[in-house]
Amino acid sequence: DKYLSGLSRSQKSFGDRLRTLSNNFHGIDDELLEEIMILLLESDVGIHTAQKIIDRFEKEGKNIKKYDSMEDYLISILYDFYDPELDDPIRFNENGPTVILMVGVNGSGKTTTSAKLIEFFKNEGKSVAVAAADTFRAGAIDQINTWAKRLDVPCIKGKQGQDPSSVLVDACRYAKDHEIDILIADTAGRLQNKKNLMKELSKMNRVVQKEIEGAPQEVWLVLDATTGQNGIMQAQEFMEATNVSGIVLTKMDGTAKGGIVMAIRDQLELPVRFLGLGEKPEDLKEFDLNSYLIGITK
Ligand code: GDP
């Protein structure tokens, strides 16, 4: 299945390496804990979350005698860390267009992810439009416009350098007038100056809210999975600047570090909504814990 094959790179190493521990398993001792710690760190779980996992493992796992039960037990701890209560369903607007603001630093895959989401929601039978509100990065407007044309959805755009909020106002009005179900807004990803970012994001929120009650329904932060713990720090900056409601983790096809999902849950307490598994519009998968952990272990 595409999900598993796309994820195999990020997860096989974790599962394979976990299983190689089975050969010398002789109970849970310091040596094993250290090896698991290294495995977690190299998978980008992050020291903070890894330590918590190890602590629990050490405290509660003493009596485990068989390797199989150890592996099951470790996976059950990972399950516990992935608090399912964080997985509220996506909020859709019952009375008009649902607005999804895409945020994240340049290069994280924001524009590509916007294209993937167009494809995803279209396949769900929804009408979709996209706002080219990244008026900052050279080429961003063309890039999303080209995707919109290819995927046959309207793209509301302004000029490079224009105030992104004015593009959003136009896009919201278009979405209302044309009874669009989902409006995806590709915004600029500036982090150099947090104060500016905050100002810009709060203005975007304000104008969207003014046009469509309750909007934006979702603010999704796009994170490049290959940036590991730096991605977590980036996320924290964005979370200080605006109400992030979910994460899209891109480039999962190019990393052996699937553990970042655990760090996101534990440290950011946000749902991972989607995974990016390539550069094409269909290379997007809704995140699902079971498939993810099965991918890790099998
Ligand atoms: P933006 O600056 O955040 O809008 O980033 P882009 O959408 O332009 O993406 C930056 C680069 O990452 C492009 O070359 C994309 O094709 C690539 N990219 C985005 N998502 C993925 C993904 O899930 N997997 C891979 N392998 N490449 C991706």
Side-chain angles (χ1 to χ4, degrees):
D1 146 276
K2 173 112 197 204
Y3 192 82
L4 293 179
S5 64
L7 283 174
S8 59
R9 180 106 63 97
S10 58
Q11 292 173 339
K12 218 190 207 150
S13 63
F14 187 89
D16 284 353
R17 288 177 57 190
L18 190 57
R19 257 181 312 281
T20 58
L21 294 179
S22 69
N23 299 332
N24 343 339
F25 183 75
H26 45 265
I28 294 179
D29 56 12
D30 287 350
E31 197 187 332
L32 181 74
L33 290 174
E34 194 179 311
E35 289 192 59
I36 293 175
M37 179 60 131
I38 291 170
L39 181 56
L40 290 170
L41 290 179
E42 288 183 357
S43 311
D44 260 348
V45 168
I47 184 76
H48 183 77
T49 307
Q51 190 60 58
K52 282 203 229 170
I53 292 172
I54 292 292
D55 286 351
R56 276 216 23 213
F57 198 67
E58 190 176 10
K59 208 161 86 210
E60 298 167 23
K62 284 217 173 64
N63 302 322
I64 293 173
K65 294 282 176 280
K66 281 201 351 249
Y67 172 77
D68 284 353
S69 358
M70 181 213 92
E71 189 179 347
D72 285 351
Y73 183 62
L74 182 62
I75 298 303
S76 77
I77 294 180
L78 294 178
Y79 259 100
D80 284 358
F81 266 87
Y82 196 96
D83 178 1
E85 298 227 334
L86 290 175
D87 277 337
D88 282 348
I90 296 170
R91 287 194 308 147
F92 290 102
N93 184 359
E94 313 265 292
N95 310 308
T98 296
V99 181
I100 304 175
L101 279 190
M102 304 300 293
V103 303
V105 300
N106 285 344
S108 59
K110 217 173 341 96
T111 304
T112 311
T113 302
S114 299
K116 291 173 178 177
L117 289 170
I118 295 174
E119 172 86 355
F120 176 85
F121 285 117
K122 265 186 70 176
N123 285 339
E124 297 230 301
K126 301 201 154 97
S127 59
V128 185
V130 66
D134 184 349
T135 55
F136 183 71
R137 176 166 69 87
I141 299 172
D142 277 348
Q143 195 183 335
I144 192 64
N145 189 43
T146 304
W147 279 122
K149 267 196 196 140
R150 204 177 299 172
L151 299 169
D152 197 23
V153 300
C155 176
I156 296 84
K157 53 186 185 294
K159 292 197 173 64
Q160 198 183 335
Q162 186 181 331
D163 179 357
S165 290
S166 71
V167 180
L168 285 180
V169 170
D170 289 347
C172 287
R173 291 183 183 163
Y174 180 95
K176 277 188 295 185
D177 291 348
H178 293 79
E179 300 189 357
I180 296 289
D181 296 322
I182 310 277
L183 175 63
I184 296 162
D186 184 27
T187 74
R190 270 175 287 183
L191 243 192
Q192 295 90 323
N193 180 338
K194 199 155 84 196
K195 226 166 144 192
N196 263 349
L197 178 76
M198 268 192 214
K199 245 172 79 184
E200 197 165 289
L201 287 171
S202 72
K203 186 170 175 192
M204 286 187 198
N205 274 289
R206 220 167 39 240
V207 297
V208 167
Q209 161 73 37
K210 209 169 143 204
E211 293 298 322
I212 299 172
E213 207 190 314
Q217 277 70 26
E218 296 283 340
V219 179
W220 288 347
L221 175 66
V222 178
L223 278 187
D224 176 343
T226 65
T227 60
Q229 288 294 303
N230 283 334
I232 301 289
M233 275 152 58
Q234 251 172 46
Q236 283 161 339
E237 303 233 353
F238 272 92
M239 289 168 78
E240 282 168 30
T242 192
N243 263 336
V244 177
S245 64
I247 302 280
V248 179
L249 208 48
T250 61
K251 310 187 194 182
M252 286 293 280
D253 52 312
T255 174
K257 301 187 167 186
I260 193 174
V261 170
M262 306 310 295
I264 289 171
R265 297 296 287 220
D266 185 45
Q267 292 173 48
L268 306 179
E269 301 190 349
L270 285 172
V272 176
R273 290 295 188 199
F274 292 91
L275 300 179
L277 301 169
E279 300 185 84
K280 296 195 293 294
E282 62 271 26
D283 296 333
L284 183 79
K285 231 14 200 180
E286 272 182 284
F287 180 77
D288 169 67
L289 177 63
N290 280 315
S291 313
Y292 184 74
L293 285 179
I294 290 169
I296 281 183
T297 52
K298 295 287 175 286

